[in-house]
Amino acid sequence: MFQVSCFTSSLRLGGEMSDLHLETCNLKLNLIGERRRMAEPNDHLIEKIKQLIIQRLKLIEMTPEMIENDAPLFGEGLGLDSIDALELVLGLEKEFGVIIPDAEVGKKVFQSVKTMAQYVLEHQGAS
Amino acid sequence: MKASKGKTAFCFPGQLQEKPMLKDHHPLTEDPYFKELFTRASNQTKFDLLNFSFGGEEKEEDFSLKLQISTYILSMVHFYRLRAAGWNPDIFAEHSMGVYSALAASEAISFEEGLFITEAIGRLLKREGAIHRGGMASIIGLPLEEIQKICQDLNGFQLSIANYNGSMHFVLSGEEEGVEKAISLALSRKAVSATRLAFNTALHSPSLYSLREEIMEILQDIKIQPLKVPILNHWTIKPLRREEIKDFLSQEIGRPVYWIRCVEKLLQEGFTHFIEVGHEATLTKLMRWIDREAKAFSAGDRLPR
């Protein structure tokens, strides 16, 4: 939203952006990026992530309410394994357009529903 | 009770990767087949398999061998439970060492003979692992071409593809150092996962092909009976003939497992239900890759209805 208004104001100045304008825009854009990174995923996104887990992994006897936001997905929690991880990698790409570039990132992202949602929030539209 | 109209395949998985770790309250502990088969197997093998399955020591001697035997028994327990629940399979498919339980379930051999073969071949693998340290790695998220390239790039470590499990799931087998390098290479090439399996032998690699005569000796006193349920041969994609079973067993540990071929063939033949006869759900999960619509369950998770 801010990106658009900033760009519009520079157009109003005759299409030429001064260094000061550019700097201000960049600063504000950085702030937006920072806020986006800090933002908490909302309930809707959390619910969508849970639905994705249930559908991709065919956990037919589970409902979203049965999955805790912070519970570990692998090992002791939901008990997922590396075959499941591949399903989730593909699911995130298909449903949200978000790419998990490697196993290292995957380990961090697939800690819980919340970390998955956080990653989607930060990376959706980035790729 | 079985309520399907389509055909049903029972799928016998290979070796567990972890101890079953059954808790005291696990439903299997009250199961009559479980108690009976574990007791018979413990008597025959002289291993305390119940203690092993409930936790036991952290680092155990003969860990891999006990895992192989426990896998066999658990598959047989689940087979009897499924049968008691009314499931009548049209065919058996087997993955790796799952062939021993598939043979016992088809009554080509007895439970005790299956146990004897599992233990004897397990001991052979243990001996081989002590002489030629090998290993296996499960690599998920890379296509076949990438896996082949890893084997080529690590030429000299006798790496080969041991399992063709799905379009993005393969198992590599070879010298231990090569397996470790393959894991690093796979991760650097963006595999979703690359991990060691609980083997110190290069199972399903040509290096074990030389054991076939010793395996034939293990099998020499066993008389193969007519199969009550056919078992799909994953090399020929045809049912195993009774007279070729010993040959199959003697070569099996030195040749790859073509699991994906098996499933694709069964789907073509109109199979709709794939029931994993084991404690985990690895084969069930692989089904999601091959056909998401197929009905796949693991008896270890629950008895399917």
Side-chain angles (χ1 to χ4, degrees):
Chain A
M1 197 67 179
F2 182 83
Q3 192 171 7
V4 174
S5 63
C6 176
F7 192 63
T8 314
S9 69
S10 71
L11 283 176
R12 280 197 196 123
L13 286 169
E16 283 184 25
M17 244 192 223
S18 70
D19 288 349
L20 183 65
H21 271 114
L22 269 175
E23 210 170 299
T24 313
C25 284
N26 283 340
L27 263 174
K28 290 187 174 174
L29 283 171
N30 285 343
L31 264 174
I32 290 168
E34 201 55 44
R35 277 189 205 132
R36 200 175 171 189
R37 274 189 285 280
M38 301 290 283
E40 285 283 307
N42 61 29
D43 291 347
H44 179 63
L45 180 56
I46 292 275
E47 176 78 11
K48 279 176 78 176
I49 296 286
K50 289 180 181 178
Q51 292 285 5
L52 176 122
I53 293 171
I54 290 169
Q55 283 164 14
R56 292 297 305 193
L57 305 183
K58 295 183 91 174
L59 305 174
I60 50 173
E61 289 179 343
M62 289 201 88
T63 60
E65 299 75 44
M66 292 161 80
I67 306 174
E68 288 177 34
N69 295 358
D70 291 307
L73 297 176
F74 289 77
E76 285 300 304
L78 262 189
L80 308 188
D81 62 20
S82 46
I83 308 177
D84 297 317
L86 180 58
E87 282 289 336
L88 295 181
V89 167
L90 294 173
L92 284 180
E93 195 172 339
K94 195 173 171 206
E95 299 295 323
F96 297 101
V98 165
I99 290 168
I100 306 286
D102 55 43
E104 209 50 46
V105 172
K107 268 184 203 162
K108 289 176 188 153
V109 174
F110 297 131
Q111 284 177 39
S112 67
V113 168
K114 202 169 169 186
T115 54
M116 281 178 73
Q118 193 74 49
Y119 188 81
V120 168
L121 199 61
E122 289 169 14
H123 292 82
Q124 204 168 26
S127 51
Chain B
M1 288 294 289
K2 180 180 170 184
S4 71
K5 286 178 183 168
K7 290 192 276 187
T8 298
F10 273 12
C11 305
F12 291 80
Q15 182 189 308
L16 288 167
Q17 286 307 302
E18 291 172 357
K19 282 186 191 189
M21 294 303 279
L22 302 173
K23 307 273 192 267
D24 289 339
H25 58 270
H26 193 283
L28 273 186
T29 55
E30 294 305 315
D31 185 90
Y33 298 116
F34 177 85
K35 286 179 185 168
E36 189 199 325
L37 296 188
F38 265 87
T39 306
R40 277 161 68 184
S42 294
N43 289 339
Q44 184 173 322
T45 61
K46 309 295 179 213
F47 286 133
D48 185 351
L49 295 164
L50 273 172
N51 185 42
F52 177 76
S53 295
F54 283 95
E57 302 296 321
E58 201 152 299
K59 284 194 172 178
E60 294 204 37
E61 210 181 322
D62 293 321
F63 179 79
S64 204
L65 184 58
K66 287 180 195 169
L67 267 184
Q68 283 151 21
I69 295 170
S70 298
T71 305
Y72 170 79
I73 307 165
L74 281 168
S75 279
M76 293 308 295
V77 169
H78 286 300
F79 170 71
Y80 290 127
R81 292 182 71 215
L82 285 164
R83 209 174 57 174
W87 286 85
N88 291 307
D90 299 284
I91 202 164
F92 290 163
E94 54 80 22
H95 189 287
S96 184
M97 298 171 99
V99 67
Y100 311 132
S101 46
L103 283 167
S106 75
E107 298 182 31
I109 55 176
S110 68
F111 171 78
E112 277 74 16
E113 285 170 332
L115 186 61
F116 165 75
I117 296 171
T118 304
E119 185 182 354
I121 293 181
R123 289 193 184 281
L124 211 54
L125 293 175
K126 184 189 166 195
R127 186 200 71 192
E128 194 60 19
I131 303 167
H132 307 290
R133 191 84 185 164
M136 299 179 86
S138 166
I139 299 177
I140 298 175
L142 293 181
L144 179 60
E145 304 77 55
E146 282 289 337
I147 301 292
Q148 287 168 330
K149 194 159 186 311
I150 287 171
C151 293
Q152 285 163 12
D153 292 347
L154 295 172
N155 187 22
F157 291 103
Q158 296 189 343
L159 283 172
S160 62
I161 301 175
N163 296 177
Y164 295 77
N165 288 337
S167 57
M168 301 275 259
H169 187 185
F170 300 89
V171 172
L172 287 184
S173 205
E175 290 175 18
E176 189 172 40
E177 191 187 346
V179 168
E180 292 291 348
K181 285 180 187 294
I183 288 173
S184 303
L185 210 50
L187 288 173
S188 74
R189 293 178 184 177
K190 313 298 181 199
V192 169
S193 155
T195 48
R196 277 290 293 267
L197 298 181
F199 288 94
N200 55 17
T201 9
L203 189 63
H204 299 300
S205 78
S207 66
L208 296 191
Y209 202 68
S210 58
L211 297 178
R212 64 190 185 282
E213 281 178 19
E214 281 184 85
I215 295 174
M216 281 305 248
E217 282 173 30
I218 289 170
L219 302 172
Q220 68 182 355
D221 292 334
I222 291 174
K223 189 172 184 315
I224 306 286
Q225 305 296 327
L227 283 73
K228 295 271 173 68
V229 178
I231 300 175
L232 194 60
N233 177 337
H234 57 85
W235 301 329
T236 61
I237 315 298
K238 290 176 183 165
L240 259 175
R241 286 180 288 117
R242 184 181 169 194
E243 60 274 18
E244 67 182 2
I245 286 173
K246 287 191 179 180
D247 271 339
F248 181 88
L249 291 176
S250 72
Q251 294 178 35
E252 206 242 356
I253 61 167
R255 291 178 66 175
V257 177
Y258 294 99
W259 178 249
I260 190 166
R261 272 194 207 167
C262 264
V263 176
E264 284 172 346
K265 172 72 175 174
L266 293 173
L267 287 166
Q268 283 168 16
E269 299 280 327
F271 279 80
T272 51
H273 287 64
F274 294 80
I275 314 299
E276 183 164 354
V277 190
H279 191 62
E280 293 177 342
T282 308
L283 301 179
T284 306
K285 290 179 178 185
L286 291 176
M287 273 308 297
R288 292 188 307 224
W289 269 109
I290 306 167
D291 183 349
R292 287 192 70 82
E293 302 308 313
K295 291 183 172 47
F297 309 94
S298 167
D301 282 348
R302 64 200 165 96
L303 273 177
R305 294 175 214 291

